[in-house]
């Protein structure tokens, strides 16, 4: 006898889009090499930014696509991993914000909704279920979370994963 198990019981909605480089402004903190530490660090960073008015201020500076609050995980450099809470903007940088240029890339963009735990579950499914069978591989660019509404318990969001077509 044998048993076949197929993962992915819930369909993943995605699209592939090429985007030019775009500028973001916001705040950042370094990320730990131990991924589990970041699952604590990043939510704390969002909580602090919500309480101290950073998120509200950033929302007024949003001028470019993608429209929404961005969580940008820039882990391309070996020694300088950073997480940005930012918006796409052409506005001048204010004193307590910094600039980060997201490079031109091809993106696999996944839509989701739920709470802040559900975005982490979607990210895990993308890496473990979609990516290995997609015909794509990870590209050298940041991962981006686009929060389309601000309600943490009923969030609408997109996860942008940089990809290149497999050559095989």
């Amino acid at each position: 006898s044998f048993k076949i198990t197929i993962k992915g019981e819930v369909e993943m909605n995605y699209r592939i889009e090429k985007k030019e480089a775009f500028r973001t402004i916001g705040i950042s903190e370094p990320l730990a090499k131990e991924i589990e530490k970041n699952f604590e660090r990043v939510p704390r960073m969002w909580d602090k930014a919500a309480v101290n008015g950073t998120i509200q201020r950033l929302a007024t500076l949003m001028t470019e696509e993608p429209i929404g609050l961005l969580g940008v995980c820039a882990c391309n450099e070996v020694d300088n991993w950073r997480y940005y809470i930012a918006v796409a903007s052409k506005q001048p940088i204010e004193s307590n914000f910094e600039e980060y240029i997201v490079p031109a890339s091809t993106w696999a963009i996944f839509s989701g909704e739920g709470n802040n735990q559900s975005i982490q579950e979607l990210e895990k499914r993308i890496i473990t279920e979609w990516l290995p069978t997609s015909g794509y591989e990870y590209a050298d660019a940041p991962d981006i979370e686009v929060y389309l509404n601000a309600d943490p318990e009923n969030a609408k969001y997109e996860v942008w994963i940089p990809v290149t077509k497999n050559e095989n």
Side-chain angles (χ1 to χ4, degrees), residues 56-138:
Q56 294 85 340
R57 183 67 200 123
L58 283 172
T60 68
L61 299 173
M62 195 183 313
T63 62
E64 305 300 308
E65 293 283 333
I67 297 294
L69 281 169
L70 310 178
V72 181
C73 185
C75 300
N76 320 54
E77 297 174 30
V78 176
D79 294 327
N80 186 23
W81 288 11
R82 296 196 76 75
Y83 185 85
Y84 294 83
I85 296 175
V87 293
S89 180
K90 290 204 161 125
Q91 296 287 342
I93 297 177
E94 298 184 1
S95 60
N96 51 345
F97 292 147
E98 55 193 286
E99 175 181 84
Y100 177 75
I101 305 296
V102 175
S105 191
T106 298
W107 305 92
I109 302 174
F110 296 81
S111 299
E113 52 186 56
N115 58 32
N116 56 6
Q117 290 299 309
S118 59
I119 195 165
Q120 290 178 357
E121 290 165 21
L122 176 58
E123 289 167 341
K124 287 177 188 165
R125 287 189 63 214
I126 292 166
I127 302 308
T128 61
E129 295 175 27
W130 181 82
L131 197 59
T133 61
S134 67
Y136 289 91
E137 57 190 47
Y138 240 105

Side-chain angles (χ1 to χ4, degrees), residues 3-72:
K3 179 180 176 187
I4 296 175
T5 304
I6 298 175
K7 294 281 272 178
E9 59 280 348
V10 178
E11 187 178 0
M12 299 173 80
N13 295 319
Y14 73 94
R15 64 191 188 276
I16 304 292
E17 284 189 24
K18 262 186 156 53
K19 298 271 189 199
E20 292 302 313
F22 60 93
R23 174 180 176 261
T24 67
I25 55 176
I27 59 171
S28 78
E29 286 189 12
L31 288 173
K33 297 290 185 203
E34 302 82 31
I35 301 303
E36 293 305 314
K37 286 186 181 176
N38 297 325
F39 285 130
E40 297 169 15
R41 184 175 292 179
V42 169
R44 265 200 318 267
M45 189 179 165
W46 279 97
D47 290 345
K48 183 177 166 191
V51 170
N52 69 19
T54 298
I55 287 175
Q56 294 85 340
R57 183 67 200 123
L58 283 172
T60 68
L61 299 173
M62 195 183 313
T63 62
E64 305 300 308
E65 293 283 333
I67 297 294
L69 281 169
L70 310 178
V72 181

